[in-house]
Amino acid sequence: MRVMQAQANHNLVEVPEIKAPFLVEAGPYADEAQRRHMQWADRHGVFCSSEERRRFEAMDMGALADLLYPEASSPENLQLVADWCAWLLLRDDRWDSTEATGEWERLARRDRAYLRLMRHRAQRGVGLSRDEDDGCNSLYGALADLCQRLRTHARQKSQPEPVDRRLVAVMKGFFFARIRETAYQHRGTCPTLSEYVGMRSVTGGLDILTFVLGALDGVRLSKRLLDDPAVRRLTTASHNVCCWHNDLVSLNKELVSGEVHNLVLVLQQDPEGGRFTLPEAVDAAEHMICEELETFVDLKQEVGGREGPHARAAAWYAYMLRNRVGGVISWQESCAARYKEAFATSTSGRAKAKPDSGR
């Protein structure tokens, strides 16, 4: 399924505004967390250029973290969430900017180094090999810092090891799914709708943030709870809403840049469900998002009101996902103006930037 080449004279597509069907909360530490976050990013040298730094500063990771975690007990804890969000986005930027498939193995070696780092509780003796270290892999040191801060927090609160094999497994799945997306992008082809839905729920990196927030709040989610059918469906609905909503917000920018991983574009191309015109695909995507929102609201009440041995964890999980869904929608809607500006820049023949949120 070859995707049409993006054209500079592409007309702006009207996309619907979607709001969370519940109150979106915010905490008091957003500005302080953003200030600390940018200092952390500069200290670790995670930005490849001044343009990338300006882009991330404008995205306001502190505001995003504040919406995801409004009950944060300190600016330091909120900053840690902002730092994790930025790290995941920056890792994706490194893959997205790869033009030649010959560079994939270099980036894949880095991913393996990241996983090896996470598996070792003590950092002594763990580092990049000569093949992995090309002199510009600042994300390795940044990840070491993120893991260390999570572990320090857990020790101070007498909590279990937070960077455990389950978090490593989730990170590994995130890496592999993003590599699959990159392969489709380089071929210029869309996945089928079923393939896309499966990949997109992983490439958002949302399960990784679940472990981070659980560690900060001292909540350990058991496999039994997460495997419960209602909890699994609640999780899926939350992932779908967050990721598909980003697809709507970023649609015009991705049409111009030739992106293939967007729900609207997949609906247009998918032979399994019949092809849509672009306006029809936008309407279909909006309908899918609203259906998932309704499912989420219904199941949130059920899961959050559970009784029994997992009651506290279930209530925490439902509330955390509620903050996530509402926060991501609110933050991404605030990004819509930046996407429109980027679209105008691209269509006027100037440099085309990569998507700047939600990936």
Side-chain angles (χ1 to χ4, degrees):
M1 294 171 289
R2 180 64 58 177
V3 177
M4 293 185 299
Q5 293 294 318
Q7 297 183 8
N9 62 354
H10 170 72
N11 293 322
L12 186 69
V13 178
E14 284 294 328
V15 296
E17 180 180 356
I18 295 177
K19 294 185 178 180
F22 41 75
L23 179 67
V24 177
E25 301 179 29
Y29 301 126
D31 291 343
E32 177 67 10
Q34 173 66 4
R35 184 184 67 81
R36 290 170 176 266
H37 164 67
M38 292 304 297
Q39 290 176 343
W40 171 84
D42 289 339
R43 186 165 63 252
H44 287 279
V46 298
F47 300 124
C48 285
S49 66
S50 58
E51 178 191 356
E52 185 175 63
R53 187 188 189 281
R54 285 193 299 269
R55 180 160 59 90
F56 269 79
E57 186 171 26
M59 286 163 61
D60 199 343
M61 292 288 108
L64 173 59
D66 188 51
L67 293 167
L68 296 177
Y69 192 36
E71 69 279 14
S73 60
S74 68
E76 292 84 358
N77 284 357
L78 191 64
Q79 179 209 337
L80 184 54
V81 177
D83 295 347
W84 271 98
C85 289
W87 193 94
L88 295 170
L89 290 171
L90 284 163
R91 184 270 175 195
D92 280 357
D93 278 358
R94 302 301 180 262
W95 278 89
D96 288 342
S97 62
T98 302
E99 297 295 336
T101 55
E103 296 183 33
W104 290 14
E105 180 53 36
R106 175 178 59 84
L107 294 175
R109 285 196 297 269
R110 289 187 181 182
D111 285 350
R112 290 192 289 270
Y114 299 150
L115 295 174
R116 187 172 66 245
L117 169 69
M118 294 179 71
R119 291 189 184 104
H120 287 76
R121 297 190 183 189
Q123 295 178 20
R124 185 177 301 172
V126 179
L128 292 170
S129 69
R130 182 175 300 177
D131 289 339
E132 294 159 348
D133 186 5
D134 57 9
C136 61
N137 191 25
S138 55
L139 291 186
Y140 185 90
L143 180 61
D145 176 76
L146 294 175
C147 292
Q148 184 59 40
R149 285 156 64 195
L150 268 187
R151 286 168 170 145
T152 298
H153 177 87
R155 285 196 302 271
Q156 291 173 345
K157 300 293 184 180
S158 299
Q159 295 166 359
E161 165 63 38
V163 189
D164 59 11
R165 58 186 178 83
R166 294 197 305 166
L167 176 54
V168 173
V170 169
M171 184 74 93
K172 184 177 181 180
F174 167 73
F175 289 162
F176 284 177
R178 286 295 286 128
I179 292 170
R180 286 180 62 198
E181 278 196 351
T182 302
Y184 275 107
Q185 185 67 39
H186 277 263
R187 291 198 302 267
T189 58
C190 279
T192 64
L193 180 59
S194 58
E195 288 175 314
Y196 175 77
V197 169
M199 280 191 293
R200 193 70 173 95
S201 65
V202 180
T203 58
L206 300 173
D207 286 330
I208 298 168
L209 296 180
T210 295
F211 277 92
V212 172
L213 291 170
L216 289 174
D217 283 348
V219 176
R220 190 172 181 85
L221 301 169
S222 69
K223 186 176 184 301
R224 182 175 179 181
L225 174 64
L226 293 176
D227 285 345
D228 177 274
V231 176
R232 287 173 66 93
R233 185 65 185 93
L234 178 71
T235 304
T236 299
S238 70
H239 288 0
N240 289 343
V241 169
C242 292
C243 295
W244 298 349
H245 178 265
N246 175 258
D247 290 350
L248 275 186
V249 169
S250 61
L251 174 61
N252 284 292
K253 192 165 185 285
E254 294 180 349
L255 280 168
V256 171
S257 64
E259 175 67 51
V260 302
H261 289 285
N262 184 294
L263 178 62
V264 175
L265 303 181
V266 170
L267 286 169
Q268 257 197 298
Q269 301 285 328
D270 182 34
E272 296 178 352
R275 301 194 177 215
F276 293 90
T277 66
L278 185 57
E280 288 172 344
V282 170
D283 290 343
E286 179 188 14
H287 180 71
M288 291 171 66
I289 294 168
C290 290
E291 282 192 331
E292 291 296 273
L293 263 175
E294 291 177 4
T295 297
F296 176 80
V297 170
D298 291 342
L299 288 175
K300 180 180 68 68
Q301 299 297 328
E302 177 187 340
V303 172
R306 291 264 176 101
E307 297 181 355
H310 300 291
R312 176 178 175 269
W316 177 89
Y317 191 59
Y319 178 69
M320 182 274 296
L321 290 182
R322 173 186 177 278
N323 288 336
R324 174 178 297 168
V325 168
V328 166
I329 289 176
S330 177
W331 183 72
Q332 289 179 163
E333 286 290 343
S334 73
C335 290
R338 288 200 293 274
Y339 278 119
K340 289 180 181 179
E341 181 181 351
F343 170 80
T345 299
S346 296
T347 54
S348 66
R350 292 190 289 271
K352 300 176 184 177
K354 290 288 183 181
D356 62 2
S357 76
R359 285 287 187 182

